[in-house]
């Protein structure tokens, strides 16, 4: 028979957002001292009264513990619990000191006063009308969150997703969930169809209802976009959706037609001639890309007359060395052709070509624009060319009132030559926005490495355009492939290893079994460590102890980056970001929001474009200040201080470790890559290649050499199904 325990949650020692596993300390009236409890506790906060069902156990090191099987939670009733709850940081403007004042004034009646008579808060010195309103508003948000949390507990929805629901719908969140569950899947990032479907079925919606099938079809296409596809053959989509929904295909096919008639889906022709289904926005993006390239290619160049051969000779003299034939060809293609593409791996001379082109165009007083998808890539482009570069988002300028970019087809950029670096990162939507803003008379040069991971967003823009040009060469379109490694690159183990990966050589390089054997003069090492927990410990030790000793120039927070293949597991991003802050930034000053603690000094990453603040998905920074009472956090992004209110913290994640996918377009002085066989789902050649090439000066692979070999051998990365090739054919035949 299970035991029961009732008490106030006094302290949260550990919480895992993925599965809500929590280790905490509970104070119970019938026990002396705190009781350690462990189990799944979604959405609980310090100060709450918990009624726990479970078993008593004894741990060899930590002693007596209570393992939770079931729990229920209620707002605190005791003065101690109320003070603990209010002071936990959940309510802005109320920290531990202020919580003490409120409870001293109102005692056990405190929570009722805040809820029903919040004006009485002004009886406390230092509280004016504005502060009282802010506390009341925050309290109401917490009440709505608790209501939603209680409702969603059985569906496995985590604290952060509940916070997103409150942010989206306010106090109406629960009502919308109950009455329109599938709407939530469409409108709230992170709440997918499966969660909405579980809620809907439990509320009595039929498995075969048109509403459910329509939502399932749209969800299936959205999931396919997450996998990189911009559309899907209609027969395959019908089959996939029927299997996911567990309904007969005969019920799904009519709904495809119904959604097409309502313009929720678009039916077009795919690359193999079969009917191809797309979401309308994705179809518009591909039509826009193809149309813009067609217009640019067929419009006369606005460049002044340039004697290409002499210009290349001049650039060579300026550089101080003779260009290789393929490098000269690439410079010539950029000057002669309206649309040109330059692709090649590390050490193949892309930077030499870009610098030569920029020098020539600046000498000719050409209006030049340099851009890249990420801030780090733009900064690197500026450093290598000596010309100003910016991110595509900053270049296009976001208009808050219009809800879109300021520069578009009716307000073109004032440029004559655009160079876009890291173009393999361009997804269909971003490429569409960029090309629509480019004047038809301008030249376009796309630079990228097609062997890297494809864009995070849907599409394979760079590869599709290269294939289209190479399949049927056309005037004003050119592709230059750089394959020769130049002498400087041949001396680099990073470059040599990257090319060995592309050639399929599966043996792990420079394998060491002891960190003492590391030669800091080498730029790549593989530290063998097959156990996941030991890999985690070794990674922490490298950053905390060894790297600062070997490389005194390195900032252990911003110059060293852990790149993991996936989120889960001991070597994954989630666990790394739980352990590394304790190893590198073990201070308690900070605030908790949802399941995360934000501390001064923590390394964070922006996870959503915020045009108003001027920070974008993938930007890395460090927390410079925390105001627990106001519930605000300040983050330093490369010298730019950005303030975050409490709800905005959902846009920040810890970034001691990030996924390899998130690292695209960036380079870091030192990269550490944990590689384990438990990552087998994600281990692919282009993933490993991308990780290695993110290291500018040093790369440390930590883990199992067998996992390295698995990645190199796995070339079966998912082929992306897109409609861009067909759209390009249509645009250039028109």
């Amino acid at each position: 028979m299970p035991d029961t325990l009732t008490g106030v949650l006094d302290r949260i020692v550990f919480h895992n957002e993925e599965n809500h596993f929590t280790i905490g300390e509970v104070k119970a009236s019938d026990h002396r001292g705190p009781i350690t409890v462990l189990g799944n506790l979604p959405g609980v906060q310090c100060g709450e009264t918990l009624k726990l069902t479970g078993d008593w156990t004894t741990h060899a090191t930590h002693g007596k513990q209570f393992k939770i099987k079931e729990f229920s939670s209620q707002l605190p009733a005791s003065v101690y619990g109320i003070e603990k709850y209010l002071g936990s940081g959940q309510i802005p403007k109320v920290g531990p000191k202020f919580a003490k004042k409120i409870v001293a004034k109102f005692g056990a009646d405190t929570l009722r006063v805040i809820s029903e008579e919040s004006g009485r808060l002004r009886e406390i010195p230092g509280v004016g009308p504005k502060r009282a309103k802010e506390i009341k508003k925050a309290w109401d948000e917490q009440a709505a969150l608790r209501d939603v949390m209680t409702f969603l507990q059985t569906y496995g929805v985590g604290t952060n997703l509940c916070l997103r629901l409150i942010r989206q719908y306010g106090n109406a969140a629960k009502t919308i969930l109950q009455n329109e569950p599938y709407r939530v899947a469409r409108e709230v990032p992170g709440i997918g169809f499966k969660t909405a479907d579980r809620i809907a079925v439990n509320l009595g919606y039929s498995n075969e209802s048109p509403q459910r099938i329509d939502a399932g079809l749209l969800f299936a296409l959205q999931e396919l976009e997450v996998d990189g596809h911009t559309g899907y053959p209609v027969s395959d989509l019908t089959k996939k959706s029927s299997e996911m929904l567990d309904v007969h295909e005969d019920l799904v096919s009519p709904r495809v037609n119904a959604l097409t008639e309502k313009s929720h889906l678009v039916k077009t022709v795919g690359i193999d001639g079969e009917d191809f289904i797309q979401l309308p926005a994705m179809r518009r993006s591909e039509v826009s890309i193809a149309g813009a390239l067609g217009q640019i290619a067929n419009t006369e160049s606005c460049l002044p007359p340039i004697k290409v051969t002499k210009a290349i000779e001049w650039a060579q003299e300026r550089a101080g060395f003779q260009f290789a034939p393929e490098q000269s060809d690439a410079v010539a293609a950029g000057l002669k052709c309206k649309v040109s593409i330059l692709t090649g791996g590390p050490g193949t001379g892309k930077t030499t070509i870009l610098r030569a082109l920029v020098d020539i165009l600046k000498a000719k007083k050409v209006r030049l624009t340099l851009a890249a998808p990420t801030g780090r890539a733009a900064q690197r482009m500026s450093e290598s060319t000596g010309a100003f570069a910016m991110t595509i988002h900053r270049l296009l300028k976001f208009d808050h009132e219009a809800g879109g970019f300021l520069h578009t087809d009716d307000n073109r950029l004032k440029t004559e030559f655009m160079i876009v670096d890291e173009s393999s990162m361009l997804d269909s939507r971003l490429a569409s926005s960029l090309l629509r803003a480019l004047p038809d008379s301008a030249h376009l040069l796309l630079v990228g490495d097609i062997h890297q991971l494809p864009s995070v967003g849907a599409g394979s823009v760079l590869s599709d355009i290269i294939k289209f040009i190479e399949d049927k060469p056309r005037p004003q379109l050119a592709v230059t492939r750089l394959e020769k490694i130049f002498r400087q690159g041949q001396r680099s183990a990073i470059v040599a290893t990257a090319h060995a990966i592309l050639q399929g050589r599966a043996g792990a390089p420079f394998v060491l079994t002891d960190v003492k054997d590391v030669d800091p003069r080498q730029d790549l090492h593989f530290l063998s460590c097959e156990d996941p927990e030991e890999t985690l410990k070794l990674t922490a030790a490298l950053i905390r102890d060894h790297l600062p000793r070997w490389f005194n120039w390195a900032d252990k927070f911003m110059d060293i980056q852990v790149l993991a293949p996936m989120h889960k597991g001991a070597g994954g991003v989630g666990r790394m970001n739980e352990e590394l802050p304790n190893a590198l930034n073990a201070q308690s000053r900070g605030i908790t929001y949802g399941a995360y603690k934000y501390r001064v000094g923590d390394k964070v990453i922006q996870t959503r474009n915020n045009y108003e603040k001027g920070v974008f998905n993938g930007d890395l920074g460090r927390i410079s200040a925390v105001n627990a009472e106001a519930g605000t956090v300040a983050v330093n992004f490369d010298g730019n201080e950005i303030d975050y209110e409490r709800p905005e913290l959902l846009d920040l994640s810890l970034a001691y470790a990030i996924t390899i996918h998130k690292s695209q377009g960036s380079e870091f002085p030192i990269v550490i890559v944990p590689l384990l066989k438990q990552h087998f789902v994600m281990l692919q050649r282009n993933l490993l290649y991308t990780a290695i090439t993110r290291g500018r000066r040093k790369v440390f692979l930590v883990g199992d050499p067998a996992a390295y070999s698995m990645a190199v051998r796995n070339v079966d990365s998912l082929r992306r199904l897109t409609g861009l090739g067909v759209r390009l054919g249509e645009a250039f035949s028109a």
Side-chain angles (χ1 to χ4, degrees), residues 276-528:
F276 195 66
I277 296 291
Q278 294 183 286
L279 292 169
M282 194 54 71
R283 158 79 175 180
R284 288 194 296 271
S285 293
E286 292 189 334
V287 169
S288 172
I289 292 168
L293 289 174
Q295 284 291 107
I296 293 167
N298 291 320
T299 302
E300 188 174 340
S301 170
C302 62
L303 296 187
I306 299 175
K307 294 179 180 178
V308 173
T309 303
K310 287 192 174 181
I312 293 172
E313 289 172 355
W314 175 83
Q316 288 178 145
E317 287 177 17
R318 188 176 175 85
F321 58 88
Q322 191 82 13
F323 296 163
E326 57 267 40
Q327 291 177 315
S328 296
D329 291 345
V331 175
L335 296 173
K336 291 177 181 177
C337 298
K338 290 296 299 302
V339 177
S340 57
I341 295 179
L342 175 63
T343 183
T348 56
K350 294 194 299 294
T351 300
T352 296
I353 295 163
L354 288 186
R355 194 180 295 121
L357 266 172
V358 168
D359 286 346
I360 292 167
L361 294 169
K362 284 168 74 174
K364 284 290 184 177
K365 295 185 168 41
V366 170
R367 190 175 288 176
L368 180 62
T369 301
L370 274 61
T374 68
R376 285 177 174 264
Q379 183 179 353
R380 196 169 70 249
M381 196 181 187
S382 292
E383 291 167 356
S384 62
T385 62
F388 179 69
M390 68 177 79
T391 64
I392 294 170
H393 290 93
R394 292 185 192 279
L395 174 67
L396 298 180
K397 297 178 183 173
F398 193 77
D399 185 343
H400 295 284
E401 292 184 9
F405 289 116
L406 181 64
H407 289 293
T408 183
D409 42 16
D410 58 359
N411 182 25
R412 305 286 180 97
L413 294 162
K414 292 176 172 57
T415 187
E416 296 170 319
F417 200 113
M418 177 180 284
I419 303 174
V420 184
D421 201 4
E422 295 289 354
S423 295
S424 62
M425 293 182 66
L426 286 176
D427 61 48
S428 296
R429 285 190 170 91
L430 185 58
S432 168
S433 297
L434 178 65
L435 295 182
R436 284 171 57 198
L438 188 61
D440 295 340
S441 59
H443 282 235
L444 172 68
L445 171 60
L446 299 176
V447 184
D449 184 349
I450 57 172
H451 297 299
Q452 285 185 26
L453 287 168
S455 58
V456 174
S460 52
V461 175
L462 186 65
S463 296
D464 284 349
I465 296 172
I466 289 174
K467 186 176 187 307
F468 175 75
I469 295 172
E470 292 183 337
D471 280 352
K472 191 176 179 182
R474 291 169 170 79
Q476 294 304 322
L477 303 177
V479 174
T480 304
R481 290 180 180 264
L482 301 176
E483 295 175 346
K484 180 182 176 184
I485 305 174
F486 292 95
R487 191 170 300 168
Q488 183 181 359
Q490 289 172 336
R491 288 201 301 265
S492 164
I494 294 173
V495 171
T497 302
H499 287 273
I501 290 169
L502 293 182
Q503 293 160 14
R505 286 187 263 157
F510 310 104
V511 176
L512 304 173
T513 55
D514 193 328
V515 72
K516 295 176 184 175
D517 296 330
V518 167
D519 180 356
R521 293 170 298 179
Q522 300 296 321
D523 66 358
L524 186 142
H525 296 87
F526 197 127
L527 291 166
S528 180

Side-chain angles (χ1 to χ4, degrees), residues 646-700:
R646 193 173 288 259
E648 295 171 327
L649 293 177
L650 293 174
D651 298 336
L652 290 176
S653 291
L654 290 178
Y656 293 89
I658 61 175
T659 62
I660 297 169
H661 282 85
K662 273 284 187 188
S663 74
Q664 287 174 265
S666 297
E667 277 188 354
F668 307 93
I670 302 174
V671 161
I672 302 174
V673 185
L675 280 178
L676 295 163
K677 283 191 282 193
Q678 66 178 209
H679 297 149
F680 72 94
V681 175
M682 296 297 295
L683 292 177
Q684 294 173 344
R685 185 179 293 180
N686 60 356
L687 186 93
L688 181 58
Y689 174 82
T690 301
I692 295 246
T693 55
R694 297 311 87 203
R696 184 161 67 242
R697 296 176 69 172
K698 306 289 177 181
V699 171
F700 289 83

Side-chain angles (χ1 to χ4, degrees), residues 93-114:
K93 307 293 182 183
V94 180
K97 290 180 182 177
F98 203 73
K100 202 174 192 69
K101 287 184 182 179
I102 297 175
V103 176
K105 175 72 177 175
F106 300 115
D109 205 28
T110 296
L111 300 186
R112 188 197 64 77
V113 168
I114 296 175

Side-chain angles (χ1 to χ4, degrees), residues 615-646:
V615 286
F616 302 98
N617 189 2
D619 284 354
L620 290 165
R622 286 189 71 193
I623 295 177
S624 52
V626 170
N627 186 326
E629 284 207 357
T632 60
V633 165
V635 181
N636 186 311
F637 292 98
D638 290 325
N640 189 22
E641 290 275 336
I642 304 293
D643 291 323
Y644 287 78
E645 300 291 331
R646 193 173 288 259

